[in-house]
Amino acid sequence: MTKDVTILDVSLRDGSHSVRHSFTEAQVSAAAKGLNAAGVRYFEVSHGDGLGGSSLQYGLSAVDELKLIEAAAAQCTTSEVAVLLIPGIGTKQDLQNAVSAGAKMVRVATHVTEADVAAQHIALGRELGLKTVGFLMMSHMAPVEKIVEQAKLFESYGAEAVYVTDSAGAMLPPDVTARISALKNALQCDVGFHAHNNLSMAMANTVAAVEAGATFIDGSMRALGAGAGNTQTEVMVSVLEKLGYNTGIDLYKLIDTANDVIAPLMQQPQEITAGSLVLGHAGVYSSFLLHAQKAAKQFGVDERDVLMKIGELKAVGGQEDLIYEVAQSLVKA
């Protein structure tokens, strides 16, 4: 019996980290056109750190994200634009503006132990008629029981799906299986999974997630994303279909979009470098990589030492300033 899986492509959001938030309207429009033609149900468009993320701390966007959302939405006939919102970075007004620009889904993201800060944003998403999802970031940092507790909070606020998010690319397949299985048993809503490839486990972890019952799965074309990138969407579609899952996606059209639109705009290949490997090893937020490289160069220290120390400190998204403090402290040491 064929099982259905919904693929959500994050190239135009998570990939923003990799290209230093330099997406143009033309690039987003071309990618959106290809994703729509390929039959990808949802794809995410916003600053890498979500709505409102364009700032000196997180990195300034070359183009206002509302213009990018509008450009993407204009290409959609069957696909729908999703946005990420991290409470404390994005606001309720940002979400309302995104809806006006054409967004149809919101994924409200919190640290894995802080789902309670998202209640008003989840409620607003439902009120605005959006497909509304809870996104538990850095899910490797909490035991299964805590993840279940936090996922139940998301569901109680109105989330229609809850994601286990391996933001650091630190998980192994047994870690994923345990978390997804527990949520499937505890929740009535759908369960999703978002991977990073810092330990070369993104595809294996994705397969583990769907085999454990996840029905929403993230990927990015050409693996374009923070750190070593995400599960590569076009490869994932092929693998899942070989395993008997129905994605509803035209593989050739997806490959063409990945090769003709995404590959030319990439500033470097998505590969597991020294820094991205240490991200996964130390359990560090994938979007910290470029900040760590910049800080290491500025202070003349090894980016690996910076990332290992950040891992020891258990830093989370929003603590980018700590990266520079750590680099400076390594000089003094």
Side-chain angles (χ1 to χ4, degrees), residues 89-101:
I89 297 178
T91 66
K92 292 164 70 175
Q93 185 61 57
D94 288 326
L95 181 55
Q96 291 171 327
N97 292 342
V99 171
S100 297

Side-chain angles (χ1 to χ4, degrees), residues 286-306:
S286 291
S287 67
F288 282 7
L289 179 59
L290 294 183
H291 293 283
Q293 291 172 339
K294 182 179 178 181
K297 184 176 181 180
Q298 179 179 338
F299 292 100
V301 296
D302 192 320
E303 69 184 75
R304 295 170 295 183
D305 292 335
V306 175

Side-chain angles (χ1 to χ4, degrees), residues 5-11 35 40 42 163 193-195 201-210 214-223 230-249 251 254-255:
V5 176
T6 300
I7 305 298
L8 191 152
D9 188 86
V10 299
S11 308
L35 288 165
V40 175
Y42 299 103
Y163 264 74
F193 180 67
H194 173 100
M201 287 286 108
M203 187 62 69
N205 286 342
T206 293
V207 171
V210 295
T215 52
F216 278 76
I217 297 294
D218 285 8
S220 59
M221 292 178 287
R222 282 297 186 103
N230 308 100
T231 314
Q232 191 166 340
T233 310
E234 60 273 26
V235 180
M236 175 172 62
V237 168
S238 175
V239 170
L240 291 180
E241 290 187 353
K242 287 174 73 69
L243 289 171
Y245 292 89
N246 175 40
T247 66
I249 293 173
L251 180 59
L254 183 63
I255 291 172

Side-chain angles (χ1 to χ4, degrees), residues 65-151:
E65 62 189 356
L66 294 177
K67 292 183 179 179
L68 300 181
I69 293 168
E70 288 176 350
Q75 297 295 336
C76 291
T77 58
T78 56
S79 297
E80 294 185 337
V81 175
V83 293
L84 186 79
L85 189 155
I86 302 175
I89 297 178
T91 66
K92 292 164 70 175
Q93 185 61 57
D94 288 326
L95 181 55
Q96 291 171 327
N97 292 342
V99 171
S100 297
K104 301 296 184 183
M105 171 193 269
V106 62
R107 305 205 294 178
V108 182
T110 72
H111 184 62
V112 66
T113 60
E114 298 175 358
D116 61 310
V117 305
Q120 59 183 319
H121 305 87
I122 294 283
L124 178 60
R126 295 301 301 270
E127 180 184 324
L128 294 171
L130 301 174
K131 181 75 174 179
T132 304
V133 178
F135 209 63
L136 291 170
M137 299 187 294
M138 300 291 278
S139 286
H140 74 284
M141 293 182 72
V144 172
E145 296 76 15
K146 187 67 174 180
I147 292 173
V148 169
E149 171 195 287
Q150 297 296 298

Side-chain angles (χ1 to χ4, degrees), residues 4 6 13 25 36 105 120 186 234 248 264 274 276 283 285 310 313 324:
D4 292 337
T6 300
R13 196 277 302 169
E25 290 170 85
N36 182 75
M105 171 193 269
Q120 59 183 319
E234 60 273 26
S276 56
Y285 198 48
I310 289 294
L313 295 172
Y324 296 89

